Every structure is written in C-alpha cells, then in structure tokens.
Amino acid sequence: MNFLAHLYLSGSDTEVQLGNFLAEGIRTKAYLDFPKGVQRGILLHREIDTFTDAHPVFRQSTKRLHGSYHHYAPVIVDLYYDHFLAKNWSVYSQKPLNEVVQNFYNLLNKNAELFTVKAKSIVPYMIKYNWLLSYESINGLSNIFRQMDARTKFLSGMSSATEELTADYFLFEEEFTKFFPEIQFFCEKKLNEL
C-alpha cells in the first residue's frame, strides 16, 4: 500500500495519520522518540506492510509484474492499488477525496518539526504535484512512475508501468477489490490493539 491507502487505513486520528506517513524513514526503536499517537501510526504502518507483503492476492498482483520489474514489482502494485482506491473513493469514504487530501497536506505542513530526513525530501514534491489526488487517473499515475524511475536513474523501468496496468486493468482492479476489505478489517482490529 502506498501513501493514500496508508492515510485511509489510519482512520480519523491525525497523529496516527502522521505516524503512518512518517514510518518509512524511521527504523527500529527510534519511533519511541515520537508522541504516543504518532507511535501508533508508525506501528500501524509496519503492520500494514507485513500484512500486505504476505497476502496471497497482493502477491498474485506482484507476480504478474515480477518478470519485467523484479524487486520493484511490489512498489508498482502499491501504486496500482492506490489508483483503485482513489478511483473508487466514494465506495470507501463519505468524505470527498480532494477534501481528505487537502486536510492531510495541511496536517503535514503544521507538523514539519517531526519530519524525518526522508519526509523532508518528499513532502514538498508530494504537495506541489498533488500526488495523492493524481493517483486517481492513469495519466497522473504515469507521471509519478516517471518521477520514481528518474530517482532510480531509470534502472527500475517504472516509466512504462502503466502499460501493464492498462493491459490487465480489470484483473488488477478485481484483485484490489478482493484485498482491500481484508486489510480494512485487519487495520480496524490493529488500531484497537495498538
């Protein structure tokens, strides 16, 4: 799952949302340096990643891409799944996507003092290019894949990742639709435990 799904799965607690976003740049026990709510978000992020990586439906999606993208396949599927979440947002949320995204950008701007080095390098681009809202269209997703490919010095080949998405669009969407309710249930339970 990528940024949008992590945000959605955090629920309405803004500290959990923030921690879930920051988690990528925080290793081992360094999460203990953050406020309790942010710690919950960091731990939730780790649980989401573990659940997702081991899930047979997610693995089925990544297997289809492995021959072309190797270890980048899970990253690509994360973005595919964020695309399907954005595209079908009204199925999963009563709040409009643009409102949720803008509230999250505001949250990030108000909490820059908590940013990791990684977050400091990502957030300005995320907001400037409106990544979370751009997941909704294949064209927007294509732009993000090109940016990511450039960051790998074009070794990942992700610039062409929307080709596989459009070729097997309904299959990937079907897999997302099977997977997402399961991770929603898992996260609701985990949030009560953390």
Side-chain angles (χ1 to χ4, degrees), residues 77-114:
V77 173
D78 282 344
L79 283 160
Y80 286 2
Y81 281 18
D82 264 19
H83 164 69
F84 292 118
L85 176 58
K87 178 189 155 213
N88 299 296
W89 186 261
S90 63
V91 172
Y92 300 101
S93 177
Q94 293 181 351
K95 292 183 181 177
L97 178 58
N98 62 338
E99 180 185 318
V100 171
V101 167
Q102 191 55 57
N103 287 342
F104 182 62
Y105 292 160
N106 293 341
L107 175 68
L108 292 176
N109 283 327
K110 289 177 188 170
N111 289 280
E113 75 280 357
L114 294 176

Side-chain angles (χ1 to χ4, degrees), residues 24 36 45 50 57 66 103 116 142 148 153 159-160 173:
E24 285 291 330
K36 283 283 186 205
H45 182 105
T50 301
V57 174
H66 192 71
N103 287 342
T116 60
S142 182
M148 292 175 75
K153 297 187 178 17
S159 289
S160 61
E173 186 167 26

Side-chain angles (χ1 to χ4, degrees), residues 96-183:
L97 178 58
N98 62 338
E99 180 185 318
V100 171
V101 167
Q102 191 55 57
N103 287 342
F104 182 62
Y105 292 160
N106 293 341
L107 175 68
L108 292 176
N109 283 327
K110 289 177 188 170
N111 289 280
E113 75 280 357
L114 294 176
F115 284 4
T116 60
V117 171
K118 184 171 184 171
K120 286 177 187 173
S121 69
I122 290 174
V123 170
Y125 296 102
M126 173 186 275
I127 295 172
K128 180 179 179 180
Y129 297 108
N130 202 0
W131 288 355
L132 299 184
L133 207 55
S134 69
Y135 293 155
E136 197 170 15
S137 72
I138 290 178
N139 188 48
L141 204 56
S142 182
N143 290 335
I144 290 169
F145 281 130
R146 277 195 296 277
Q147 291 169 29
M148 292 175 75
D149 200 15
R151 284 200 302 269
T152 68
K153 297 187 178 17
F154 302 98
L155 296 173
S156 70
M158 284 191 273
S159 289
S160 61
T162 54
E163 292 174 17
E164 286 83 357
L165 176 61
T166 53
D168 288 323
Y169 194 84
F170 297 107
L171 194 51
F172 282 116
E173 186 167 26
E174 183 180 282
E175 289 164 353
F176 167 80
T177 304
K178 283 181 191 170
F179 169 79
F180 205 67
E182 292 186 32
I183 198 162

Side-chain angles (χ1 to χ4, degrees), residues 25-43:
I26 299 167
R27 299 290 172 233
T28 62
K29 296 196 182 262
Y31 79 95
L32 294 169
D33 297 335
F34 290 87
K36 283 283 186 205
V38 176
Q39 288 179 32
R40 286 180 68 221
I42 294 166
L43 294 174

Side-chain angles (χ1 to χ4, degrees), residues 41-60:
I42 294 166
L43 294 174
L44 179 65
H45 182 105
R46 293 173 182 176
E47 294 284 349
I48 289 169
D49 284 355
T50 301
F51 179 89
T52 301
D53 291 344
H55 198 282
V57 174
F58 184 82
R59 291 171 68 97
Q60 186 176 330

